[in-house]
Amino acid sequence: MEGIKIHLKVNGQDISREVDPRLLLSDFIRENLLLTGTHIGCEHGVCGACTIQVNGDPVRSCLMLAVQADGCEVKTVESLIQENGELSHLQQAFSDNHALQCGFCTPGFLMTLSSFLEENSNPSEEEIRKCISGNLCRCTGYSNIIKAVKQAAQTVSN
Amino acid sequence: MKPAKFNYLRPSSMEEAVHYLSEYGEDAKVLSGGQSLIPLLNMRLSTPKYLIDIGRAEGLSYIKEDGESLVIGTLTKHTEIEKSELVKGKCPLLSEAIRWVGHEQIRNRGTVGGSIAHGDPSAELPCVLTALRGEIVIVDVNGEEIVSPEDFFLTYMLTSLQPDQLVKEIRFPRIKPTCGSAFVEVARRHGDFGLVEVAAVVDLCEDGRFSDVKLAIGGVNSVPTLLEDVERLLVGKEPTEEIFNEAGDLTMELVEPESDLHGTAEYRRELSGTMVIRALKQATDRAQGGRVM
Ligand SMILES: Cc1cc2nc3c(=O)[nH]c(=O)nc-3n(C[C@H](O)[C@H](O)[C@H](O)COP(=O)(O)OP(=O)(O)OC[C@H]3O[C@@H](n4cnc5c(N)ncnc54)[C@H](O)[C@@H]3O)c2cc1C
Ligand code: FES
Ligand code: FES
């Protein structure tokens, strides 16, 4: 099978590559672009570790083919760091609140939550719980993640 | 790289898609949002020779009114239905049900046509479509055909769709403003497939009796199922505790659930009765609240 040429924007950078149509977007990001912040857990849409943003919306990169992202704007967890090299409010809040242990799930949580907080800067606990229901974490018990989201929301609204 | 090799086709119109289907249908799979198909490709449970990606086909994503129905194009994403004021106004049952479909990340890519074509008996949209007596519009090279949910859903993940056919749009009858509707579900976790789900619409006469009831249940049979006997039981009666309980008892007799990892048949049967009562009460409350008695 010959490759298909795709053009997309990843974390603000224009990218053109030839890819096999069966290449998953998650593998394209990790193996072709070497952006290994996007993690792969289950590869059937359940764990949320591979969550990225496509045209601003959080989606599973393991449930998309790279060819489907042709022409799209993609953001991975690497995009969150600020220009001066400091952590984003959300990343800082995760660190401050011990909202990660092994960190495997963290990129997926961050990509889900950064889009959520842009739309809802003052979420209730219930809204936060609903938002993260599509991301699994084996380590934290979620309570610290919820605390971190509250802190991040507060920092932004101040 | 997990899916097996395939030839990738990306039609830019419905006509082109249908043309590919007539050519390769037997060896092809349609890719819409991919939220059910890509897991199957990843696990190699499905290994089509051709993958027809309709995701960029023009003119298949829309929500519009047509007479008594809301007409929704096959490529319309769950999120778009969730956000639509038109859907909220004309078919609140659909707005309420759509929030139960997977998680946000799934709803951002999954489509209404994909959900219907996939034919999962515990999916929410097939249950709503069944309750409302909606229609599925199918196309192939010979033209269009309209199919009822009862003729469309055959058994677990199997529909009447032929290899050369494409789902074009779904028609959800609008709900009269005097009606109350409710969608209730029990899932192990919000976003998981429902163990049992019920869609209910009720209308009341001036004297408070049921003048119309629409009721369907999902997750307990091999297809989403109309509860016509329960509908008949209720029409003409007053909404009382006794009649709700009778409706629940009759439901438990009608369903034929199976046991699996997530719940036993007995539990699902019991839950079916409870959920029908819950849905009917909520829909009735809403119908009563929405009118001056
Ligand atoms: C973690 C997870 C949780 C989920 N939870 C739920 C849930 O709670 N409820 C629920 O309803 N769904 C759930 N889903 C499935 C999801 O809703 C899908 O969006 C939906 O079932 C399929 O839509 P799709 O557009 O992604 O279809 P695809 O995956 O692209 O296709 C599904 C099937 O339909 C066929 N198909 C697609 N479009 C057409 C068409 N126009 N004409 C003919 N055939 C077509 C495909 O060939 C394929 O066989 C979940 C998925 C995941 C990964
Ligand atoms: S790896 Fe994509 S959801 Fe688990
Ligand atoms: S921090 Fe280990 S899985 Fe979440």
Side-chain angles (χ1 to χ4, degrees):
Chain A
M1 175 85 228
E2 59 186 80
I4 291 179
K5 196 104 193 225
I6 59 169
H7 307 277
L8 63 167
K9 209 173 235 187
V10 181
N11 301 338
Q13 239 191 327
D14 288 314
I15 307 253
S16 298
R17 287 282 199 292
E18 205 172 287
V19 295
D20 189 327
R22 63 181 171 140
L23 180 68
L24 296 176
L25 183 56
S26 44
D27 288 336
F28 175 72
I29 289 170
R30 288 179 57 85
E31 289 169 20
N32 296 42
L33 305 182
L34 302 176
L35 294 169
T36 52
T38 300
H39 290 171
I40 295 172
C42 64
E43 280 185 329
H44 56 273
V46 177
C47 75
C50 69
T51 303
I52 57 163
Q53 290 167 12
V54 174
N55 297 337
D57 298 323
V59 302
R60 308 293 206 218
S61 59
C62 73
L63 298 189
M64 260 183 95
L65 302 169
V67 285
Q68 288 179 287
D70 188 14
C72 293
E73 200 157 315
V74 168
K75 279 197 177 153
T76 68
V77 69
E78 284 86 354
S79 71
L80 292 185
I81 202 100
Q82 297 184 34
E83 269 171 26
N84 61 10
E86 283 179 18
L87 296 179
S88 69
H89 296 308
L90 184 61
Q91 288 170 309
Q92 190 59 51
F94 263 61
S95 172
D96 293 347
N97 290 280
H98 198 50
L100 65 154
Q101 289 182 38
C102 76
F104 189 80
C105 67
T106 313
F109 272 95
L110 293 174
M111 295 318 282
T112 299
L113 285 163
S114 64
S115 133
F116 169 72
L117 286 174
E118 254 167 51
E119 277 175 30
N120 186 351
S121 57
N122 188 20
S124 67
E125 174 149 344
E126 200 193 328
E127 286 170 327
I128 298 171
R129 282 181 184 275
K130 216 166 206 175
C131 166
I132 61 172
S133 70
N135 292 77
L136 295 179
C137 174
R138 293 173 310 167
C139 308
T140 64
Y142 303 94
S143 299
N144 288 350
I145 296 180
I146 292 162
K147 270 192 227 155
V149 182
K150 285 183 184 159
Q151 177 185 315
Q154 210 150 27
T155 317
V156 173
S157 50
N158 286 342
Chain B
M1 205 176 301
K2 284 78 192 175
K5 272 189 189 298
F6 51 76
N7 292 298
Y8 179 74
L9 302 166
R10 189 197 281 167
S12 54
S13 67
M14 186 182 80
E15 291 70 26
E16 200 184 340
V18 168
H19 169 76
Y20 284 139
L21 277 173
S22 75
E23 194 112 320
Y24 306 118
E26 293 284 349
D27 295 320
K29 269 282 173 196
V30 172
L31 175 67
S32 183
Q35 303 302 289
S36 294
L37 183 58
I38 295 192
L40 296 177
L41 298 177
N42 285 350
M43 291 185 263
R44 300 208 176 183
L45 292 171
S46 175
T47 54
K49 271 198 206 147
Y50 295 88
L51 198 65
I52 304 175
D53 177 1
I54 60 168
R56 305 280 171 108
E58 300 259 332
L60 288 177
S61 174
Y62 49 85
I63 303 175
K64 58 189 186 200
E65 261 185 292
D66 180 13
E68 290 301 296
S69 291
L70 271 184
V71 184
I72 306 193
T74 188
L75 276 186
T76 310
K77 300 203 159 66
H78 301 320
T79 315
E80 293 166 55
I81 296 176
E82 199 175 346
K83 288 186 181 153
S84 162
E85 289 300 323
L86 186 61
V87 175
K88 224 172 273 171
K90 307 288 175 180
C91 194
L93 180 66
L94 185 53
S95 296
E96 193 172 19
I98 203 83
R99 288 179 237 140
W100 288 92
V101 177
H103 311 283
E104 190 203 345
Q105 299 97 330
I106 312 292
R107 294 196 296 276
N108 281 336
R109 291 210 48 89
T111 67
V112 59
S115 177
I116 298 293
H118 191 57
D120 190 311
S122 29
E124 289 77 7
L125 293 184
C127 182
V128 169
L129 192 69
T130 301
L132 293 177
R133 277 78 168 167
E135 291 171 337
I136 299 145
V137 182
I138 288 166
V139 281
D140 57 29
V141 282
N142 301 315
E144 280 185 27
E145 189 188 336
I146 294 182
V147 186
S148 73
E150 277 163 299
D151 290 335
F152 186 79
F153 299 112
L154 301 179
T155 182
Y156 297 100
M157 317 284 190
L158 188 71
T159 69
S160 68
L161 209 60
Q162 297 301 305
D164 62 344
Q165 291 182 321
L166 189 76
V167 173
K168 179 190 167 193
E169 64 185 24
I170 321 289
R171 299 168 158 264
F172 291 91
R174 51 174 287 204
I175 295 174
K176 277 198 289 175
T178 51
C179 292
S181 65
F183 185 90
V184 299
E185 173 169 325
V186 168
R188 295 207 311 169
R189 172 179 66 147
H190 188 95
D192 289 357
F193 276 100
L195 286 173
V196 177
E197 68 216 8
V198 175
V201 185
V202 308
D203 205 0
L204 302 171
C205 310
E206 289 296 321
D207 65 3
R209 292 168 196 273
F210 290 114
S211 58
D212 190 23
V213 179
K214 295 187 170 71
L215 200 59
I217 190 162
V220 282
N221 293 350
S222 63
V223 292
T225 309
L226 266 185
L227 295 171
E228 283 179 298
D229 288 349
V230 184
E231 294 174 349
R232 271 192 292 271
L233 168 79
L234 293 168
V235 171
K237 308 273 171 51
E238 272 181 53
T240 59
E241 202 64 34
E242 292 74 48
I243 199 75
F244 286 131
N245 289 338
E246 264 183 62
D249 290 343
L250 183 56
T251 301
M252 286 196 277
E253 282 173 35
L254 294 171
V255 294
E256 291 165 352
E258 289 181 17
S259 297
D260 67 13
L261 202 62
H262 308 301
T264 61
E266 295 73 45
Y267 172 65
R268 280 197 160 96
R269 188 181 298 281
E270 200 58 47
L271 193 56
S272 302
T274 309
M275 298 298 277
V276 159
I277 296 174
R278 200 178 287 172
L280 285 171
K281 279 189 177 167
Q282 204 173 70
T284 306
D285 269 356
R286 289 172 180 174
Q288 286 167 337
R291 63 163 55 201
V292 187
M293 298 292 282

